[in-house]
RNA sequence: GCCCGCGUAGCUCAGUGGAUUAGAGCGUUCGCCUCCGGAGCGAAAGGUCGCAGGUUCGACCCCUGCCGCGGGUACCA
């Protein structure tokens, strides 16, 4: 049994008691951890709520403490509960029987219990959650801002999976957009290259300057080109015309420019996927904009919107000739708050329009489907699919295709600057299919990663006076202003390698590199996860490259220490310790001795570490509900910190007293299981040594 | 103008469905290898939780107003 399910049982008892004794129904019932371990293992502030409810129901004024006194015996009847104390203005504080619980937690960790299906809260519904993340324009290398998106999305996916959800992971590929067109303009007009020449160029590039890096630089050149070489110039309309021409050709398809664009986009996608693979981030499906166009997703959505009266064609005013979505709540006359344009007067669709079509498909409400082919086979049998217009491609795959689309809840990991268009999409979808509603479309928003003026200087970027005065500077692919993901990972890996070589000189070169890689990824992922989503990260090299303090490697290190303890312990010692604890329930003298180890100041400290580890399930549930992975990162760090202290305070391997040693080993075992599980959800692995 | 987010220690950030001393990390100062690995542990210094009202027995947290910063409000995405 886990702490989580024990909590559920206690809550049920309180609910039942409130019903029987006071005739009221408790809606919100939370279990807190008391501010200090001396105040108990669990606290229910429910009596404040009950006092209000009772007053409402009967008019009778009852003091929260008096209510608590009445509930006390009910909770004390639990076997695992040692005693109940009423504290403060009316808190119910629960003190568990530590020896009994320790044994319970040791025999099965909550994760093993979940795997074995003996958790009472197990979900039976198999509704599907869908998470779209990464979705980088395939025209250049990924930068650190993109990595924040991917790491947040990937971690949220892991959180959902840990909570027992079925999840489908999508990465949207805008292969027919302006950004791809810009790079194509660069190849055609700046480099005078055709497809053959680009392929030859691609072949000749070395791993330290791959295709996506080449495009990164070319893209910034195109940006200058549009302004005739001077960033402060206006855009040159004639040159912009080149972009428009290319864009039309790409959207049209079946021509040489479209073919060239497809090569460029696909190669960038491959490079970006390689970057993400380094971070342990994978996908189920790459959904491409070209298929949304060519498989007529938009036309279908357009029909649906017209049919349902969601959009209307304006015949006069400044939007004459456009199809717009009226904004019911718009407050008026201001020109910046008018209806949202879905189809432009020249007949082309806006991004918002295309996104509504895609969102409808995601929710299984479009009535059309993509065709699919295999894009990549990941190492452990996982297959990545991509959309295609070729209806026969799937049969050639030789693998069974999962049923893509049709999610019950769709999370779109997109930065907060797009919250307005995202709101339009959600509302549009809800208007088309009211039975789905706007809540099925969740904008998982986050703030950008920006550069501090100092970080810009370290990158050798010269700043304008205006920029220098800002607290941070927005990254810009267009300006080539940003920290490339692979550069940063490389830097982290070489930093980690130095440390590994210092500490583990006996390791083989391969092992050293593998370990350095794990440490680097831990550092990067944790760095991006420790900030809450709505905090702008002002990127700082020193902080991002650190392995000390509140970092991924610190958490990893604590887990590595638990492993090395078990390596040091002989099999026999371990077996003895295990069997000693299993005998607790039948041996009251032994149980007393275990209780003694866990009592007093030192015992309480040990015990609070155990209690902390048991909160993992609840933290996961919270993160799932709030869609805030930072909570899990913070929690993981607190477990690592508590264990580091425990490790420092107690000698585990050399402990002479067998009962005490068994307890210390049991605690270490529990920490190892929970900490390793928590890290795995953050996408951080625990190396053998580091 | 309107909408959204933010304002907490020198710096970077957590936090709160009301519990007495508001928490981390970095930085600063001082300690800790008779060691299961110091990517560690302990201690100290450092805060009128932007300002002003309001609700309450009680507000860093809820409400209102103001100030400051950022983002959005395009026939861009």
């Amino acid at each position: 049994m886990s702490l989580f399910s024990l909590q559920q049982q206690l809550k049920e008892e309180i609910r039942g008691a409130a019903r029987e004794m006071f005739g009221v129904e408790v809606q919100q019932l939370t279990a807190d951890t008391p501010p200090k371990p001396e105040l108990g293992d669990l606290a229910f502030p429910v009596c404040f709520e009950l006092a209000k409810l009772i007053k409402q129901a009967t008019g009778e004024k009852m003091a929260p403490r008096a209510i608590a006194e009445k509930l006390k015996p009910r909770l004390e009847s639990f076997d695992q509960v040692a005693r109940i104390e009423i504290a403060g203005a009316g808190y119910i504080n629960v003190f568990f029987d530590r020896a009994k619980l320790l044994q319970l937690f040791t025999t099965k960790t909550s994760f093993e219990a979940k795997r074995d299906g003996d958790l009472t809260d197990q979900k039976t519904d198999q509704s599907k959650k869908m998470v779209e993340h990464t979705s980088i324009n395939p025209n250049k290398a990924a930068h650190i801002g993109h990595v924040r998106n991917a790491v947040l999305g990937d971690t949220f996916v892991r959180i959902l999976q840990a909570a027992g959800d079925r999840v489908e992971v999508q990465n949207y590929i805008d292969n027919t957009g302006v950004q791809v067109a810009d790079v194509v303009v660069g190849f055609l007009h700046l480099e005078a290259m055709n497809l053959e020449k680009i392929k030859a160029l691609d072949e000749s590039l070395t791993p330290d300057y791959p295709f996506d890096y080449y495009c990164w630089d070319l893209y910034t050149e195109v940006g200058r080109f549009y302004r005739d070489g001077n960033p402060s110039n206006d855009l040159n309309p004639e040159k912009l015309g080149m972009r428009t021409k290319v864009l039309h050709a790409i959207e049209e398809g079946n021509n040489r420019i479209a073919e060239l664009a497809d090569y460029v986009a696909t190669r960038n996608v491959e490079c970006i996927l390689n970057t993400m693979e380094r971070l342990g981030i994978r996908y189920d499906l790459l959904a491409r904009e070209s298929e949304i166009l060519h498989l007529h997703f938009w036309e279908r959505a357009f029909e649906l919107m017209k049919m349902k009266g969601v959009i209307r064609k304006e015949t006069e005013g400044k939007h004459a000739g456009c199809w717009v979505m009226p904004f019911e709540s718009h407050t008026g006359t201001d020109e910046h708050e008018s209806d949202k344009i879905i189809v432009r007067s020249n007949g082309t669709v806006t991004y918002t329009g295309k996104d509504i079509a895609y969102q409808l498909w995601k929710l299984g409400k479009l009535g059309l489907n993509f065709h699919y082919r295999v894009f990549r086979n990941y190492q452990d049998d996982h297959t990545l699919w991509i959309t295609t217009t070729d209806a026969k491609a799937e049969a050639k795959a030789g693998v069974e295709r999962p049923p893509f689309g049709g999610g019950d809840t769709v999370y779109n990991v997109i930065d907060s600057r797009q919250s307005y268009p995202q709101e339009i999409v959600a509302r549009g979808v809800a208007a088309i299919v009211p039975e789905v509603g706007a809540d099925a479309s969740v904008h998982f928003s986050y703030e950008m990663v920006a550069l501090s003026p100092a970080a810009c200087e370290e990158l050798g970027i010269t700043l304008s006076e205006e920029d220098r005065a800002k607290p941070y500077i927005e990254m810009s692919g267009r300006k080539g202003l940003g920290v490339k993901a692979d550069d940063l990972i490389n830097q982290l890996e070489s930093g980690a390698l130095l440390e590994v070589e210092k500490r583990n000189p006996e390791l083989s070169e391969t092992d050293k590199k593998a370990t350095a890689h794990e440490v680097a990824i831990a550092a990067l992922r944790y760095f991006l996860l420790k900030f809450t989503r709505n905090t702008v990260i002002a990127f700082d090299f020193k902080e991002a490259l650190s392995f000390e303090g509140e970092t991924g490697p610190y958490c990893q290190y604590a887990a590595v220490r638990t492993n090395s303890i078990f390596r040091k312990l002989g099999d026999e010692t371990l077996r003895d310790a295990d069997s000693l604890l299993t005998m607790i329930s039948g041996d009251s003298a032994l149980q007393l001795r275990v209780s003694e180890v866990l009592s007093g100041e030192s015992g309480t400290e040990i015990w609070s570490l155990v209690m902390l580890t048991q909160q993992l399930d609840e933290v996961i549930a919270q993160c799932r509900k709030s869609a805030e992975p930072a909570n899990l990162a913070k929690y993981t760090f607190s477990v690592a910190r508590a264990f580091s202290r425990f490790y420092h305070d107690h000698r585990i391997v050399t402990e002479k007293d067998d009962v005490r040693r068994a307890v210390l080993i049991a605690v270490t075992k529990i920490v190892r299981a929970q900490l390793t599980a928590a890290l795995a959800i953050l996408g951080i692995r625990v190396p053998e040594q580091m």
Side-chain angles (χ1 to χ4, degrees), chain A residues 27-86:
Chain A
Q27 288 103 358
Q28 281 216 326
L29 182 48
T30 51
D32 291 340
T33 304
K36 287 185 201 172
E38 302 90 80
L39 291 170
D41 297 316
L42 219 56
F44 290 104
V46 66
C47 297
F48 304 108
E49 170 85 5
L50 273 173
K52 275 186 209 161
L53 288 171
I54 291 168
K55 198 180 161 194
Q56 274 169 24
T58 64
E60 188 191 352
K61 258 187 157 177
M62 260 186 104
R65 282 194 74 103
I67 300 168
E69 287 296 345
K70 292 206 161 196
L71 294 173
K72 186 176 165 181
R74 298 279 293 249
L75 295 173
E76 275 178 338
S77 67
F78 275 78
D79 189 36
Q80 295 88 350
V81 173
R83 66 177 198 284
I84 301 288
E85 277 180 16
I86 314 298

Side-chain angles (χ1 to χ4, degrees), chain A residues 106 562-583 652-655 657-670 672:
Chain A
T106 323
T562 62
N563 284 336
S564 63
I565 287 167
F566 284 99
R567 263 202 310 277
K568 289 265 160 45
L569 286 165
D571 286 346
E572 204 179 327
T573 322
L574 256 176
R575 255 198 313 277
D576 289 351
D578 278 352
S579 58
L580 200 74
L581 278 185
T582 53
M583 292 187 303
I652 299 156
V653 176
T654 54
E655 173 59 49
D657 181 277
D658 58 343
V659 174
R660 192 174 164 77
R661 188 175 61 236
V663 170
L664 296 177
I665 289 171
V667 172
T668 307
K669 197 173 170 184
I670 292 168
R672 176 168 69 163

Side-chain angles (χ1 to χ4, degrees), chain A residues 138 169-175 262 265-267 269-270 273 283-291 295 361 369-377 383-390 393-394 397 401-402 404:
Chain A
V169 188
Q170 296 189 12
N171 179 357
Y172 182 67
I173 309 295
D174 184 2
N175 59 342
D262 183 56
T266 304
R267 282 293 296 124
V269 167
E270 283 171 349
L273 287 178
Y283 313 87
D284 298 316
L285 177 66
L286 306 177
R288 293 194 298 186
E289 186 170 76
S290 52
E291 272 72 53
L295 294 172
W361 173 82
N369 204 352
F370 293 109
H371 300 300
Y372 304 91
R373 67 180 164 83
V374 171
F375 189 76
R376 177 176 286 201
N377 283 302
T383 304
L384 170 63
W385 295 75
I386 188 168
T387 56
T388 172
T389 50
D390 179 4
E394 187 182 331
R401 173 176 68 78
F404 293 122

